[in-house]
Amino acid sequence: MEKPLPGSTGQSRTRTPWWDNARFVSATLIVVLHTVGSIMDRHDSLHAFHVAAWAFRVPAFVVLAGVFSSAGPLGPRHLRTLLGSIVLPALIFSLLFSLETKALGGPLDLHIAQLPWTLWFLMSLFCWRLLLPLVVQLRHPLLVTTAVALGLGYVEEFGLQFSASRTLVYLPLFYFGWRLGQGMLREWFESRWSLPVAVAGVLGSLTAAALWHRDIPGYWLSMRHAYRADTPLGMEGAWLIRLAVLASAAALVLCMLRLMPRRRVPLVSALGAGGFTVYLLHPLVILPLREKGLIARADTPLELVALVAFGVLLTMVLASPFVRRLVRPLTRPPVGWLLAPAPAAAPPSAPAVIHPKQTLREEVRITR
């Protein structure tokens, strides 16, 4: 019988440093790559880093979200949590993004069906949480969700609207994360032989990215659109490329988690608890720097290193307890004003008292 991984069931009151360390690493990579993303194509080093670290960013976030998700029935309490932790923050930060874009000289667009920049993840996360109780009822959940993800590339209608493409393409990784949280592949995380394999996997990702990063188109990794006919295998074999990308992402996330320290790491473990806040806030900081051309000025190796260091520092600041407390009304807004009061639990009914003579009369009646 599978035993849940430490801290993955949400039942423990104490945080598990292992998961917080992984959150901090993934959040830092996301912020750094979003910081240098606008100048990435000009510099081979940044582009290679983007390809090498891709699996440790969004796919890792998807898997970690699955680890801490519940496949139980969606009762009123769960739905209230989804509303307060996902839906309302997505709408709030979408509005803030629109207002900031307007202040920077752009149009005032209200994003509803297609949330801006990184907020697509919240829309997908909401859908994944709703779908998980259904997915786990399937006979072969991983096979079915993977088949849907691969076949979806042939359907043009699934794209950026409501994050439909990414939601279904990343669904196998989300379910995979849930299975990890339930104890699947526990031997991988605890055995000695898996450690050198994980090191080899990360080094292999770095080597492949250094050699072939320009040969890997961005749309292979974005999961946002349908297949294109100009892929090396054509439309008929495009699903094989997506399958290889998803399988590589799952394998590299396993390598990352295997190499992640399980003990508490000074500063890193404490800041890892703020990964969600970092994800929501960092676009609001990076957008004005990008639109004002400050990021585009970086060109020398020293300036690029400084830009990467800025991304790391920004992650640390946004993940700090002070910032998390400051923006909590935005990242965890109250929902009581929006919802009807939760129905009071009915008091347990007292068991019926049956007199011994009544029981005897019933037995005699039945024997007749």
Side-chain angles (χ1 to χ4, degrees):
M1 182 177 180
E2 294 176 345
K3 182 180 179 181
L5 292 176
S8 61
T9 60
Q11 296 173 352
S12 176
R13 291 181 179 270
T14 59
R15 300 191 66 91
T16 304
W18 183 24
W19 303 114
D20 284 335
N21 296 337
R23 285 192 188 96
F24 179 78
V25 170
S26 295
T28 301
L29 290 174
I30 288 172
V31 174
V32 168
L33 267 297
H34 283 163
T35 302
V36 302
S38 58
I39 61 173
M40 188 174 56
D41 289 336
R42 290 173 13 203
H43 304 278
D44 281 344
S45 59
L46 295 181
H47 194 271
F49 180 55
H50 158 69
V51 174
W54 170 77
F56 310 128
R57 290 164 19 231
V58 172
F61 245 61
V62 174
V63 171
L64 288 173
V67 167
F68 291 94
S69 295
S70 170
L74 292 172
R77 184 176 63 85
H78 295 91
L79 294 176
R80 285 170 177 263
T81 300
L82 291 179
L83 184 62
S85 63
I86 298 178
V87 177
L88 288 183
L91 296 177
I92 290 172
F93 280 88
S94 177
L95 177 60
L96 292 177
F97 187 91
S98 299
L99 294 176
E100 186 176 59
T101 301
K102 177 63 177 178
L104 293 172
L108 180 61
D109 295 326
L110 297 179
H111 306 275
I112 301 297
Q114 183 178 330
L115 297 184
W117 208 350
T118 63
L119 294 179
W120 69 266
F121 186 85
L122 296 187
M123 184 172 287
S124 293
L125 180 58
F126 178 72
C127 295
W128 293 328
R129 293 277 182 88
L130 294 180
L131 288 172
L132 185 59
L134 172 63
V135 169
V136 298
Q137 299 301 320
L138 300 173
R139 186 179 293 273
H140 303 289
L142 191 58
L143 178 63
V144 172
T145 54
T146 302
V148 171
L150 301 181
L152 199 69
Y154 293 103
V155 183
E156 290 284 349
E157 288 76 9
F158 284 86
L160 298 177
Q161 296 295 318
F162 296 104
S163 191
S165 179
R166 281 166 162 164
T167 296
L168 293 178
V169 173
Y170 279 123
L171 183 58
L173 291 183
F174 184 78
Y175 172 76
F176 180 66
W178 179 78
R179 286 298 309 274
L180 291 181
Q182 299 304 304
M184 186 182 71
L185 300 180
R186 190 180 184 91
E187 182 182 356
W188 164 264
F189 296 112
E190 297 180 345
S191 61
R192 292 184 177 181
W193 62 264
S194 62
L195 186 59
V197 175
V199 172
V202 173
L203 293 178
S205 175
L206 296 174
T207 302
L211 296 176
W212 301 298
H213 64 96
R214 291 295 182 183
D215 299 323
I216 301 178
Y219 64 87
W220 286 8
L221 308 180
S222 68
M223 309 299 180
R224 293 184 297 179
H225 303 290
Y227 299 142
R228 290 167 48 170
D230 59 354
T231 57
L233 300 180
M235 288 294 288
E236 296 81 5
W239 66 273
L240 290 171
I241 296 177
R242 177 167 288 183
L243 177 62
V245 170
L246 290 175
S248 299
L252 289 173
V253 171
L254 285 177
C255 293
M256 168 191 166
L257 293 176
R258 180 62 182 89
L259 297 176
M260 201 61 56
R262 297 198 180 195
R263 58 180 175 80
R264 186 172 183 82
V265 179
L267 194 62
V268 170
S269 300
L271 296 178
F276 183 73
T277 303
V278 172
Y279 197 89
L280 288 175
L281 289 180
H282 79 274
L284 299 178
V285 179
I286 295 175
L287 180 63
L289 300 178
R290 189 183 68 178
E291 294 302 314
K292 295 300 182 181
L294 298 178
I295 294 178
R297 296 177 184 177
D299 194 49
T300 66
L302 183 60
E303 291 172 339
L304 296 180
V305 171
L307 204 56
V308 171
F310 168 78
V312 176
L313 181 61
L314 177 61
T315 305
M316 298 173 68
V317 171
L318 297 181
S320 65
F322 171 76
V323 173
R324 297 206 306 265
R325 287 194 299 267
L326 186 65
V327 301
R328 187 173 179 82
L330 300 178
T331 59
R332 291 289 191 275
V335 298
W337 60 273
L338 185 61
L339 300 176
S349 57
V353 179
I354 302 177
H355 195 275
K357 291 184 177 181
Q358 179 183 353
T359 305
L360 179 61
R361 286 197 298 268
E362 290 292 332
E363 291 178 353
V364 172
R365 184 181 61 82
I366 293 174
T367 55
R368 290 178 179 176

